[in-house]
Amino acid sequence: MERTNPEIHGFSAIPVREGHAHLCFEKPIEETVECFKNVLHHFNYSSININAIPVSHSATENYQTIYCKSVLAPKAFACAGPEYFLDGRDTAEEMLRQIKEYNAMGFDGIKMLDGKVSQYRITKYKLNDPLFSKFFAFAEENGIPVLMHVADPLRYWDYSKATPYTIEKGWVYGPEDPHIEELRRWIDDILSRYPKLKLVLAHFYFMSNELERAAKMFDTYENLCFDITPGGEMFVNFTADYQEARMFFEKYQDRIIYGTDMYNTFESPEKAEAEVSGPRVFQARSMLEKTEEFYSKLISDKPLKPFGFTGEILDKIYRKNFERLFGNTPKPLDFERIMSGYRKFMENHPDLNEVELHNMKVIGGYFEK
């Protein structure tokens, strides 16, 4: 009988909510749904939070995401990504209209990649721009969680440390790009203006080697959380400063959310274990649970020292902290609202490619029923 990921690696049987997943690989929506069904089963997840990024990937991602939420119910949450016109129509009122509409449709939160330099190059919108003022105010007032990618590992600003992969992806930044500290100033500004915003900063905010600074943020903003989506440098840094890192997790155990950047790429359990998704789960769960040093060649050729957590702290990171922000169950969907938005979207996007048209036809037919 096929063994699941927790059985293979001896992980805890505590229910786990995957807080950070994407469907950014273009494929027929039926295959994407099947991928996430396999993810839920193989990794023994009680739910998965799928995040749309329509600007960086397909313009159809919001509709793909909410479709997956409906088909996979009640095991899927969905976060909508803002859409931009980039022609003068992007205004504070338009952004407010969007977040109100996403909320009414039944999205559970918002996903923003706008703090990643490669996305900023597309829009040129700073996160603390007045464009987002009403957007964030509405999210704060209505308790809508915002999962946000801000910055990248510091080495991405040093061309001498670039790898062929980061060069190919456009993730090597120069003096014409905002520096990591400028990106962080945007977040400081947002949090100072919207201090109760339910903000989740992905990839531990790339602060795994600045835990004192992270602690000050947590002490100041009661609804701020980090997720532990790898970034492999995170686990290397935790090992290098082990005692401080372990104490940080113990003190701020209510503010850390599990996630792995899972994608719609699951082909088989064997491939999942060998390729990107399996190793990321192995890294994150091993760091949290194991009691003896372990190796992950994708991160380092040196051993990593895990925290060996059990019981309540694991339950919070794996499940309860996500539930506190997003709820125990996904929000109900307003099918009429979704179909109204769908029709407007199709009118405004006559240039969809073959796969996008297929997916939207399937999605439209489903919600119309």
Side-chain angles (χ1 to χ4, degrees):
M1 178 180 286
E2 171 204 320
R3 293 191 300 163
T4 64
N5 174 271
E7 291 170 337
I8 292 169
H9 299 292
F11 294 140
S12 166
I14 291 175
V16 178
R17 293 191 184 275
E18 169 61 71
H20 191 146
H22 295 285
L23 39 63
C24 55
F25 285 85
E26 186 173 76
K27 57 179 58 180
I29 192 66
E30 299 92 338
E31 292 182 24
T32 290
V33 168
E34 199 60 31
C35 280
F36 287 135
K37 285 181 180 178
N38 290 330
V39 164
L40 286 161
H41 171 73
H42 181 67
F43 295 102
N44 196 32
Y45 286 153
S46 58
S47 68
I48 186 169
N49 181 33
I50 308 171
N51 296 271
I53 316 173
V55 173
S56 290
H57 300 100
S58 171
T60 66
E61 280 209 6
N62 281 331
Y63 288 95
Q64 291 188 66
T65 301
I66 205 164
Y67 171 81
C68 287
K69 168 179 172 168
S70 185
V71 172
L72 296 170
K75 292 190 172 185
F77 292 76
C79 288
E83 301 175 63
Y84 304 112
F85 297 103
L86 306 178
D87 61 3
R89 287 179 288 171
D90 299 326
T91 64
E93 287 299 331
E94 167 58 21
M95 299 311 299
L96 177 62
R97 183 200 66 78
Q98 284 192 35
I99 193 171
K100 285 182 173 180
E101 191 64 21
Y102 299 144
N103 190 51
M105 285 180 177
F107 280 98
D108 302 284
I110 296 294
K111 165 65 180 180
M112 298 184 76
L113 195 67
D114 303 65
K116 186 175 177 70
V117 173
S118 55
Q119 167 105 351
Y120 173 75
R121 287 170 175 168
I122 298 172
T123 66
K124 300 297 185 184
Y125 295 142
K126 298 180 180 182
L127 283 164
N128 63 344
D129 190 286
L131 173 70
F132 299 110
S133 58
K134 296 180 179 181
F135 183 92
F136 287 130
F138 185 85
E140 180 187 44
E141 183 180 348
N142 292 275
I144 299 171
V146 179
L147 174 59
M148 191 183 291
H149 181 126
V150 179
D152 270 317
L154 184 58
R155 67 180 185 275
Y156 285 19
W157 280 265
D158 185 345
Y159 197 86
S160 69
K161 297 178 181 178
T163 65
Y165 179 75
T166 55
I167 293 171
E168 177 190 351
K169 299 291 285 185
W171 295 347
V172 184
Y173 311 136
E176 71 283 1
D177 295 309
H179 189 263
I180 187 171
E181 290 303 328
E182 181 179 355
L183 298 169
R184 287 173 172 174
R185 283 194 292 272
W186 299 352
I187 297 303
D188 291 342
D189 190 20
I190 290 168
L191 286 171
S192 69
R193 285 189 281 157
Y194 314 102
K196 295 188 180 299
L197 180 68
K198 290 183 176 180
L199 180 63
V200 182
L201 294 171
H203 310 289
F204 216 77
Y205 197 29
F206 302 99
M207 264 191 185
S208 54
N209 62 339
E210 299 179 82
L211 296 179
E212 185 176 346
R213 188 175 179 182
K216 289 179 180 178
M217 294 182 70
F218 282 156
D219 291 341
T220 305
Y221 302 109
E222 62 188 83
N223 291 328
L224 176 66
C225 293
F226 289 177
D227 81 21
I228 57 167
T229 303
E233 83 287 337
M234 180 193 313
F235 305 119
V236 174
N237 290 335
F238 292 156
T239 296
D241 202 354
Y242 180 76
Q243 289 302 329
E244 184 181 359
R246 199 176 194 284
M247 288 168 55
F248 183 94
F249 270 72
E250 289 174 344
K251 182 174 181 180
Y252 298 106
Q253 59 187 265
D254 296 314
R255 315 291 283 278
I256 298 167
I257 292 174
Y258 174 86
T260 66
D261 241 352
M262 191 70 65
Y263 296 99
N264 57 333
T265 54
F266 194 108
E267 293 182 26
S268 69
E270 295 76 19
K271 281 197 171 185
E273 287 298 319
E275 296 177 0
V276 174
S277 58
R280 283 179 176 166
V281 172
F282 175 76
Q283 292 158 15
R285 297 200 64 175
S286 293
M287 194 72 207
L288 292 170
E289 294 186 36
K290 287 187 178 293
T291 56
E292 297 180 356
E293 291 183 342
F294 68 100
Y295 286 86
S296 179
K297 292 180 180 178
L298 292 177
I299 297 176
S300 173
D301 57 0
K302 297 178 181 178
L304 300 168
K305 188 174 181 180
F307 296 135
F309 292 139
T310 60
E312 181 70 5
I313 186 170
L314 275 186
D315 200 22
K316 288 179 179 179
I317 295 171
Y318 284 158
R319 178 177 67 88
K320 287 184 176 179
N321 294 341
F322 179 90
E323 292 172 355
R324 189 179 70 252
L325 294 183
F326 288 86
N328 294 339
T329 57
K331 286 177 57 177
L333 299 178
D334 185 329
F335 298 111
E336 290 186 12
R337 201 78 175 246
I338 293 169
M339 277 307 299
S340 175
Y342 170 91
R343 294 186 187 101
K344 291 176 184 175
F345 177 90
M346 295 303 290
E347 290 175 5
N348 293 327
H349 292 80
D351 55 348
L352 299 180
N353 65 36
E354 185 177 348
V355 176
E356 291 172 327
L357 282 170
H358 166 81
N359 289 342
M360 292 304 281
K361 182 177 180 181
V362 171
I363 293 166
Y366 171 84
F367 282 119
E368 199 161 28
K369 293 178 181 177

